[in-house]
Amino acid sequence: MYKTIGKFQHGYNAITHRTDDTKMLMDIGVYLLRKGETIILYDIECETVILPLEGFVKLSWEDQSKEVCREDIFQQSPHCLHVCKGIEIIIEALAESEVLIQKTNNHNIFASRLYLPEECTSEEAGANTLDKTSYRTIRTIFDYSTAPYSNLVIGEVISHPGRWSSYPPHHHKQPEVYYYRFNKEQGFGCAMVGDEAFRVKHNSFLTIPGGLDHPQATAPGYAMYFCWMIRHLENAPWTERIFEAEHKWLLENDCKVWPNT
C-alpha cells in the first residue's frame, strides 16, 4: 500500500498500526511538536524507537537525558533512542520538531540505548558499479546483528538524484515500511512493489509485504530520503536481502552493461 500523508498536523500523525490490515506488525507515526511542548511515551507491551527527523528536542529516559539537534536528514546521521517495554520516555521540544516513532510487541527486557551519529553504520552503496546508477547512502541504525533482542530493524537511505535504490531488486519474508522525504517538497520518485509502481512524494509511505521485491528510483534534480523499518517474524529474523535470481549478475564486480564496454 502506498499513501501520501501531505502536510503533517500538530500532534501524532499515524502511518501504520501493528494490528491494521497492512500486516506490518508495527506502530509507526510522526509527532509534530511545537516549541516548548512536552510529550510522555510509555508502553507496557512494546519496545519503542525514537528517531528525531528535524528540529531540536531533549530526550529523557530512566536517569539519562540528551539534547538532540538535527537540521538536515540528508547530511546528518541520526541520533536514535531504543528502549524496551515499560520504560518512560519524555520528549521536550526545544524548537518546532518532527520525531518518528516505531513500536512493536516484545517481551524481552534489554538495556536502553541511545545510538549516536558516529555509531550509525553508513555505506556508500553502488559507488563503483553500474556507472553509479544505483549510488546511494545506506545508514543502518540497528539490526539483528547489533540488537538480536529486538523485534525491529531501522535505518535510513539517501537516494541520490536520478539514481536507483534497493537495487538490484531483492525481497525478504519480513514486512517493511518506507517513509519518504525529499530535499525539496516538490521532489518525487518511483517505488515498485512486485508488479505495481507508485509515484512517491514528500511525506508519503509504502508498506511492503513479505516476499515481494521493492526497487526504488529517484527523479533527477531531487534527493530522496527514506527511513526503512523492518519487523522480524517469530523464529525468522531479517538477516539478509534475497536478490532476485535473474538480476544477480548485476552484483558481479566486472559485469558489463549496455553499451558493452
Side-chain angles (χ1 to χ4, degrees):
M1 179 182 72
Y2 170 77
K3 184 176 180 180
T4 299
I5 302 173
K7 289 288 186 181
F8 282 136
Q9 303 299 313
H10 170 253
Y12 185 69
N13 297 265
I15 293 176
T16 63
H17 190 276
R18 63 188 186 277
T19 61
D20 64 24
D21 58 8
T22 65
K23 299 181 180 179
M24 294 296 104
L25 308 177
M26 295 177 282
D27 293 345
I28 298 172
V30 176
Y31 271 103
L32 179 58
L33 303 174
R34 300 189 181 104
K35 181 179 179 180
E37 187 174 4
T38 297
I39 59 171
I40 298 175
L41 303 179
Y42 178 79
D43 199 301
I44 61 172
E45 296 182 344
C46 292
E47 60 179 300
T48 301
V49 176
I50 309 294
L51 177 67
L53 296 169
E54 184 178 298
F56 187 22
V57 298
K58 180 179 180 180
L59 304 176
S60 300
W61 68 102
E62 298 176 294
D63 60 348
Q64 301 183 67
S65 65
K66 176 73 173 180
E67 293 184 357
V68 174
C69 181
R70 197 177 192 191
E71 298 177 349
D72 187 347
I73 58 176
F74 293 90
Q75 299 292 334
Q76 296 174 300
S77 291
H79 288 80
C80 184
L81 178 61
H82 184 205
V83 305
C84 68
K85 65 178 184 177
I87 300 296
E88 182 180 271
I89 305 162
I90 302 172
I91 305 175
E92 179 184 355
L94 305 178
E96 185 171 315
S97 301
E98 296 180 17
V99 179
L100 183 142
I101 311 295
Q102 179 194 23
K103 295 171 32 173
T104 198
N105 298 81
N106 190 346
H107 67 271
N108 291 331
I109 301 299
F110 54 86
S112 301
R113 179 170 178 180
L114 177 67
Y115 291 88
L116 304 177
E118 56 269 25
E119 296 175 306
C120 177
T121 301
S122 186
E123 174 190 2
E124 299 301 311
N128 300 310
T129 61
L130 305 177
D131 296 327
K132 294 188 176 181
T133 51
S134 60
Y135 180 42
R136 71 275 192 199
T137 303
I138 303 174
R139 304 170 183 153
T140 303
I141 300 170
F142 68 82
D143 58 14
Y144 187 71
S145 68
T146 55
Y149 42 78
S150 176
N151 285 334
L152 297 171
V153 175
I154 186 169
E156 300 178 325
V157 168
I158 306 301
S159 188
H160 295 233
R163 304 295 197 266
W164 287 70
S165 296
S166 300
Y167 200 83
H170 69 269
H171 70 274
H172 39 78
K173 66 170 60 178
Q174 299 79 12
E176 185 170 18
V177 176
Y178 284 175
Y179 164 67
Y180 299 93
R181 299 178 79 137
F182 287 84
N183 64 325
K184 296 182 183 297
E185 291 193 10
Q186 70 269 31
F188 63 98
C190 179
M192 284 152 274
V193 180
D195 292 331
E196 294 189 274
F198 307 92
R199 185 182 176 110
V200 174
K201 299 180 180 180
H202 188 70
N203 276 350
S204 60
F205 70 91
L206 184 72
T207 59
I208 305 167
L212 297 178
D213 68 355
H214 39 277
Q216 318 286 303
T218 308
Y222 301 102
M224 181 172 77
Y225 163 99
F226 58 92
C227 181
W228 52 282
M229 295 161 278
I230 297 175
R231 187 10 168 118
H232 297 307
L233 299 177
E234 187 173 358
N235 299 318
W238 178 80
T239 58
E240 64 175 336
R241 297 171 178 88
I242 304 170
F243 293 99
E244 306 307 313
E246 65 268 35
H247 300 303
K248 279 187 176 181
W249 69 277
L250 295 168
L251 296 168
E252 299 170 6
N253 291 330
D254 59 348
C255 72
K256 302 297 184 181
V257 297
W258 185 91
N260 190 20
T261 58

